[in-house]
């Protein structure tokens, strides 16, 4: 049986050009680690602007910028203290304007990050909430509650932080007495906004308009399944070890609550009131069957599909991670997204080197030594598979260079709050500054050789200039694949997708019209099936002799 993916045209207006985001390749820039123009060891907006031609040269359609707003940087900028300005470490508002203008000149759309679940504790409204005391309108902007116990000395409920430890911190009231507690689903320095309060809705509507007015083409919504908390802030169920119980396929009690989607219902008309196809993509780590409720003409445009990222290497797992989201996407008439890496997970060039495990969270410890060669081989194969799929693909800076996760960062240099709170390795290993030049200080990341995290030696041979124009390099593989994807219209739903059933067991095969995509997930090199021997080889993720499909390799072929 073959699965026929629907070829139905977009419902909005079949005669119009489909909105850009429906098949876009989007390149995520993590500003601290992309390119440093002023030599302080921290990437910045002018550094990004100067490298935009490189990004455009990959053939991508858009960039997504992780937060660059004023922030004490306790969570890499996801702790925002002012949503409508630029952190001086990264530049100025004029630099943001220049970046957006240059991106547009180069034909790149710009997606900015919006962080609506929480702010930084240094946000002036949180400081005002602390100063104003219990019962004040200022305090009502955040989630404050009385503690339990005789003197309120126990947290209001048993929720724990995503970054480990308690999700509540007690404050000292303006009169010096121990007082209320505030909720922070993440770090202590990231208090949750109170979305029950209309003033919070108004604040974020102003933030959206601020960036839309400055030319942003879309928003990546952080913790998009957060914001609305269950009424009465009830305790979560705990298991026999006293840990919060999250049954398979479910989410913690404070995520994915009724009412979250109403926020997107309010935001959508704002985006639609601007020219061009302004969009929002949601970051929601929730079971995939829950995602469609957030997507539609009157709510968000799309959400990350993390199932593909989480799928283990293998025919069944990867096929399921393709079929399921495609079916769900059809139901809401919004193409799915594909993503293999971002700033929160172990880079996929390392992840696929764990056998047979497929860990992606909490970082890589020094003791774990995945097979780097195998990891890169499979990562290239997975990327080539991803780029053949209909919908939009999100790339994370450096994956086009095949960068691995960095394990040997000295603990004292690690900045991830999860590392500081719980001692897990954390996410710094995927955030190490990019290597641009093989033979330059800090591999060309900064003019002075400063780098906020040390770069490993292997980054030299992976530097962009070492791969530029080199046949078979990961950089050239991405460039070729992205170009072909666009020429062949593979991102569009118009080339029907069907799985091939008559292949050897370790081979995942699918067709997109004339194009045949084969992934050999096995350990043995194979001969191509007879009926494909005459096919034209379009691109291969690893060197392959004519008529063969090497182990851990993806091929795109065109039937003659
Ligand atoms: C999102 C971000 C992550 C951040 C967290 C809290 O998951 O991607 O980097 O730590 O939200 O804002």
């Amino acid at each position: 049986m073959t699965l026929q993916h629907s070829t139905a045209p977009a419902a909005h207006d079949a005669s119009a050009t489909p909105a850009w985001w429906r098949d876009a390749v989007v390149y995520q820039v993590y500003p601290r680690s992309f390119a440093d123009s002023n030599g302080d060891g921290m990437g910045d907006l002018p550094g990004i602007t100067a490298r935009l031609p490189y990004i455009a040269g990959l053939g991508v359609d858009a960039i997504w910028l992780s937060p660059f707003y004023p922030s004490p940087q306790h969570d890499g900028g996801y702790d925002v203290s002012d949503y409508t300005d630029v952190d001086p470490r990264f530049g100025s508002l004029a630099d943001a304007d220049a970046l957006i203008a240059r991106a547009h000149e180069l034909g790149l759309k710009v997606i900015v990050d919006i962080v609506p679940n929480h702010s930084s504790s240094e946000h002036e409204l949180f400081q005002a909430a602390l100063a104003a005391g219990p019962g004040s309108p200022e305090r009502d902007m955040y989630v404050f509650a009385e503690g339990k116990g005789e003197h309120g000395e126990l947290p209001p409920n048993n929720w724990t932080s995503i970054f480990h430890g308690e999700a509540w911190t007690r404050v000292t009231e303006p009169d010096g007495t121990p007082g209320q507690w505030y909720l922070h689903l993440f770090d202590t320095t990231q208090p949750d906004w109170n979305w029950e309060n209309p003033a919070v809705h108004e604040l974020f509507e102003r933030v959206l308009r601020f960036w839309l007015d400055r030319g942003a083409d879309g928003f990546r919504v952080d913790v998009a399944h957060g914001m609305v908390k269950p009424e009465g802030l009830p305790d979560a169920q705990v298991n026999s070890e006293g840990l919060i119980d999250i049954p398979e396929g479910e989410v913690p009690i404070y995520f994915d609550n009724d009412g979250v989607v109403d926020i997107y219902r309010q935001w959508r008309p704002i985006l639609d009131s601007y020219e061009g196809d302004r969009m929002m993509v949601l970051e929601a780590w929730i079971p995939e069957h829950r995602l469609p409720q957030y997507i539609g003409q009157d709510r968000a445009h799309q959400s990350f599909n993390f199932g593909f990222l989480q799928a283990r290497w293998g025919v069944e797992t990867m096929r399921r991670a393709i079929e399921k989201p495609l079916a769900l996407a059809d139901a809401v008439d919004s193409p799915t997204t594909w993503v293999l890496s971002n700033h929160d997970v172990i880079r996929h060039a390392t992840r696929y080197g764990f056998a047979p495990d497929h860990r992606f969270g909490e970082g890589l410890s020094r003791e774990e030594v995945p097979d780097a060669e195998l990891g890169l081989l499979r990562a290239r194969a997975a990327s080539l598979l991803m780029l053949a799929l209909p919908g939009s693909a999100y790339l994370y800076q450096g994956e086009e260079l095949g960068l691995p996760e960095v394990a040997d960062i000295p603990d004292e240099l690690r900045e991830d709050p999860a590392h500081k709170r719980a001692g897990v390795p954390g996410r710094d290993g995927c955030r190490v500054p990019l290597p641009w030049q093989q033979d330059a200080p800090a591999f060309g990341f900064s003019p002075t050789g400063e780098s906020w995290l040390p770069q490993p030696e292997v980054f030299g041979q992976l530097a962009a200039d070492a791969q530029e124009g080199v046949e078979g390099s990961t950089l050239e593989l991405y460039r070729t694949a992205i170009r072909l994807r666009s020429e062949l219209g593979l991102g569009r739903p118009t080339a029907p997708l069907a799985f091939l059933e008559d292949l050897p067991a370790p081979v995942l095969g699918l067709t997109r019209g004339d194009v045949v995509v084969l992934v050999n997930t096995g350990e043995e090199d194979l001969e191509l099936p007879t009926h494909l021997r005459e096919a034209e080889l379009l691109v291969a993720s690893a060197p392959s002799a004519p008529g063969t499909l090497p182990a851990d390799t993806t091929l795109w072929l065109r039937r003659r």
Side-chain angles (χ1 to χ4, degrees):
M1 196 196 87
T2 57
L3 178 113
Q4 201 66 40
H5 180 53
S6 161
T7 58
H12 56 283
D13 178 2
S15 62
T17 320
W20 65 271
W21 50 267
R22 298 180 77 90
D23 63 346
V25 180
V26 183
Y27 184 91
Q28 181 190 354
V29 174
Y30 192 68
R32 306 171 126 230
S33 305
F34 189 69
D36 170 18
S37 72
N38 64 4
D40 65 356
M42 180 75 71
D44 47 43
L45 298 188
I48 299 168
T49 305
R51 299 278 185 188
L52 285 174
Y54 166 86
I55 301 179
L58 292 171
V60 305
D61 305 286
I63 56 170
W64 146 32
L65 296 163
S66 277
F68 49 77
Y69 317 113
S71 160
Q73 301 284 325
H74 291 303
D75 184 19
Y78 283 92
D79 48 327
V80 180
S81 54
D82 180 352
Y83 291 84
T84 54
D85 205 347
V86 172
D87 193 295
R89 294 176 188 88
F90 298 136
S92 62
L93 268 179
D95 292 326
D97 290 341
L99 190 164
I100 295 172
R102 180 73 180 123
H104 286 165
E105 248 170 51
L106 290 165
L108 295 168
K109 304 281 185 190
V110 179
I111 297 174
V112 297
D113 223 304
I114 186 165
V115 188
N117 181 69
H118 46 266
S119 70
S120 158
S121 52
E122 291 187 16
H123 195 288
E124 62 173 21
L125 293 179
F126 187 72
Q127 289 301 319
L130 290 180
S136 60
E138 287 85 350
R139 228 163 236 206
D140 199 35
M141 293 296 285
Y142 290 88
V143 184
F144 278 86
E146 299 299 330
K148 287 187 177 160
E150 210 178 321
H151 307 288
E153 70 280 10
L154 300 172
N157 67 25
N158 66 355
W159 297 357
T160 46
S161 153
I162 304 298
F163 293 154
H164 306 276
E166 279 178 356
W168 294 93
T169 293
R170 194 172 195 187
V171 303
T172 303
E173 298 300 357
D175 66 4
T177 56
Q180 290 191 306
W181 297 69
Y182 68 88
L183 177 68
H184 51 86
L185 294 182
F186 292 87
D187 190 47
T188 317
T189 60
Q190 294 168 295
D192 281 46
W193 290 105
N194 173 20
W195 279 86
E196 302 287 316
N197 185 343
V200 171
H201 291 249
E202 283 157 25
L203 180 125
F204 276 92
E205 289 179 9
R206 282 197 300 275
V207 173
L208 292 180
R209 289 185 195 280
F210 180 88
W211 291 107
L212 290 167
D213 287 341
R214 295 196 106 85
D217 300 286
F219 298 94
R220 176 266 189 191
V221 185
D222 187 65
V223 196
H225 52 315
M227 285 96 98
V228 177
K229 311 299 181 311
E231 210 180 321
L233 306 171
D235 275 341
Q237 273 188 13
V238 290
N239 59 25
S240 51
E241 289 155 51
L243 299 171
I244 292 192
D245 208 15
I246 307 165
E248 175 81 23
E250 292 188 22
V251 290
I253 186 167
Y254 41 69
F255 283 149
D256 193 22
N257 282 297
D258 290 346
V260 183
V261 68
D262 295 335
I263 298 171
Y264 305 119
R265 285 210 186 91
Q266 285 168 0
W267 289 4
R268 182 62 180 258
I270 298 175
L271 270 66
D272 287 348
S273 73
Y274 282 77
E275 267 183 25
D277 294 299
R278 313 286 176 113
M279 54 79 83
M280 51 185 153
V281 53
L282 308 185
E283 185 228 17
W285 288 88
I286 55 178
E288 58 194 353
H289 69 272
R290 299 282 308 162
L291 286 172
Q293 61 166 328
Y294 289 103
I295 308 303
Q297 305 281 322
D298 63 342
R299 49 201 87 185
H301 301 73
Q302 54 182 190
S303 63
F304 292 131
N305 150 31
F306 291 123
F308 189 62
L309 179 157
Q310 292 171 67
R312 280 162 201 256
W313 182 253
V315 172
E316 288 314 313
T317 42
M318 297 197 320
R319 174 168 172 166
R320 200 203 152 277
I322 294 171
E323 264 174 335
K324 189 74 194 289
L326 286 180
L328 291 171
D330 269 359
V332 289
D333 181 40
S334 175
T336 189
T337 61
W338 308 100
V339 47
L340 285 167
S341 278
N342 63 34
H343 66 292
D344 290 328
V345 298
I346 296 177
R347 281 187 176 275
H348 67 288
T350 295
R351 225 164 54 220
Y352 290 116
F354 289 120
D357 201 8
H358 185 76
R359 278 204 325 94
F360 57 91
E362 305 272 52
L364 181 68
S365 74
R366 263 175 231 116
E367 293 70 49
E368 292 172 288
V369 188
D371 183 334
E373 205 177 316
L374 179 68
L376 180 58
L377 198 59
R378 288 183 173 174
R380 291 168 51 122
S383 299
L384 198 53
L385 168 63
M386 171 171 85
L387 289 167
L389 300 174
S392 40
Y394 283 77
L395 312 179
Y396 175 51
Q397 64 178 37
E399 71 169 77
E400 79 282 12
L401 303 175
L403 295 189
E405 185 82 2
V406 180
D408 59 351
I409 302 172
D411 280 352
E412 64 278 13
L413 296 180
R414 289 181 189 265
E415 294 202 5
D416 187 340
H419 172 74
K420 294 189 176 158
R421 289 169 74 94
V424 295
R427 299 162 295 173
D428 295 295
C430 63
R431 300 173 178 180
V432 175
L434 290 197
W436 293 98
Q437 292 161 271
Q438 186 162 22
D439 298 315
F443 300 121
F445 168 67
S446 74
T448 53
E450 291 290 317
S451 166
W452 71 276
L453 283 175
Q455 300 155 301
E457 221 177 284
V458 67
F459 271 31
Q461 75 216 44
L462 295 172
D465 74 342
Q467 300 196 40
E468 176 87 47
V470 175
E471 206 190 317
S473 69
T474 305
L475 178 58
E476 294 304 334
L477 172 67
Y478 268 73
R479 284 181 175 162
T480 304
I482 295 167
R483 176 176 54 78
L484 285 171
R485 180 183 192 274
S486 161
E487 283 170 17
L488 300 166
L490 297 181
R492 302 259 167 94
T494 32
L497 185 150
F499 284 96
L500 294 169
E501 307 293 342
D502 51 352
L503 297 169
V507 181
L508 175 68
L510 55 86
T511 57
R512 301 293 321 284
D514 282 354
V515 178
V516 180
V517 179
L518 300 175
V519 189
N520 181 359
T521 66
E523 288 168 16
E524 310 287 332
D525 295 354
L526 299 171
E527 303 227 313
L528 281 180
T530 338
H531 64 281
L532 290 173
R533 297 229 174 108
E534 296 303 311
E536 175 195 359
L537 176 63
L538 295 171
V539 59
S541 67
S544 51
T548 66
L549 174 56
D552 299 308
T553 298
T554 296
L555 305 182
W556 290 5
L557 305 165
R558 181 159 40 196
R559 285 192 277 225
R560 289 186 212 264

